[in-house]
Amino acid sequence: MTTDSKSRSPLHFKKRLAVFCSGGGSNFRAIYSGITKKNLPAEIVLCLSNRSQCGAMDFARSAGIEALHLPEKQFATSDAFAEAMTEALQSRKIDFVLLAGYLKKIPAAVVRQFPKRILNIHPALLPKFGGDGMYGHFVHEAVIAAGEHESGATVHFVGAEYDKGEIVLQSRVAVEPADTAETLAAKVLATEHLLYTDALQKILALHA
Ligand code: GRF
């Protein structure tokens, strides 16, 4: 194959994605299969986690995706951690970062290096039920305690403040009187699995 034909390969146009996770990674798996099903021009080349062993990292290893364990405690300062994260992304020519259950804050310096290139999924209809302490079951408990009739999920860009970046796409589910935080979490998670790929498709279309 000549260099010229290589540069025209469709692979050349695929956006390079990093997925950041801390847990089970069901969104990661859904995005991975969604990219194939929808034939999106993207590939996941990196899974980055603060935990070396978790469902997401296990899945990455089994799928032949690089699994990078990058815990902040390995670094002397938070600036050094931010530099290592930026270097990890830049050296792999990452176009977009997808946060999928990553339970650590992204350093501000990294956010600045990747403006409108970092996405997050949150299990509620932002701007409601977001911010500090609003994660996991706390979100669904708060939704039920507030007597909301609907909830859902939000994919948004990551900005300087928690859960405040521009919204890309939302899904909605009804909150039934019999719902508990557990049943609501399961309904929302099922919509997240479709939503993240749809949001990615929307972003990729803007960058085609
Ligand atoms: C999801 O509910 C997501 O909204 C939140 O963390 C959870 C991750 O679940 N940010 P999983 O690891 O993708 O299964």
Side-chain angles (χ1 to χ4, degrees):
M1 192 186 272
T2 66
T3 310
D4 192 43
S5 62
K6 254 189 198 161
S7 68
R8 282 202 303 270
S9 151
L11 283 175
H12 182 75
F13 299 106
K14 285 190 176 181
K15 297 293 185 207
R16 295 170 63 78
L17 310 179
V19 182
F20 285 21
C21 304
S22 302
S26 69
N27 274 290
F28 174 22
R29 289 193 293 278
I31 298 161
Y32 180 78
S33 60
I35 286 172
T36 308
K37 273 189 206 137
K38 292 190 156 200
N39 198 22
L40 298 185
E43 65 176 325
I44 301 171
V45 297
L46 175 68
C47 174
L48 185 148
S49 183
N50 54 308
R51 296 175 60 197
S52 65
Q53 300 295 330
C54 61
M57 291 288 265
D58 291 345
F59 174 71
R61 293 180 188 111
S62 72
I65 295 167
E66 183 186 2
L68 178 64
H69 178 215
L70 198 76
E72 182 164 3
K73 60 176 186 270
Q74 262 179 13
F75 298 88
T77 64
S78 43
D79 283 354
F81 173 59
E83 271 169 38
M85 187 179 277
T86 302
E87 202 279 328
L89 297 173
Q90 288 179 339
S91 63
R92 291 165 180 81
K93 301 192 187 318
I94 298 297
D95 295 300
F96 293 98
V97 175
L98 312 184
L99 307 184
Y102 183 65
L103 294 178
K104 300 285 177 184
K105 197 161 196 270
I106 301 295
V110 178
V111 175
R112 279 196 299 274
Q113 288 293 326
F114 289 84
K116 292 190 93 173
R117 297 273 174 171
I118 306 178
L119 294 161
N120 181 43
I121 189 158
H122 183 78
L125 293 172
L126 292 175
K128 284 179 162 182
F129 305 105
D132 240 354
M134 276 291 160
Y135 61 90
H137 64 97
F138 297 113
V139 178
H140 307 293
E141 282 163 7
V143 169
I144 288 175
E148 296 287 318
H149 295 295
E150 67 170 5
S151 189
T154 304
V155 173
H156 63 96
F157 286 112
V158 172
E161 279 182 86
Y162 253 147
D163 298 334
K164 292 245 172 96
E166 184 190 325
I167 290 172
V168 178
L169 218 54
Q170 291 185 308
S171 59
R172 304 183 115 79
V173 301
V175 181
E176 309 290 350
D179 269 326
T180 62
E182 289 72 30
T183 60
L184 182 56
K187 284 198 286 193
V188 171
L189 190 63
T191 72
E192 288 182 40
H193 293 160
L194 303 172
L195 185 72
Y196 221 149
T197 307
D198 288 349
L200 177 63
Q201 184 170 28
K202 187 174 166 184
I203 301 299
L204 292 173
L206 295 175
H207 288 267

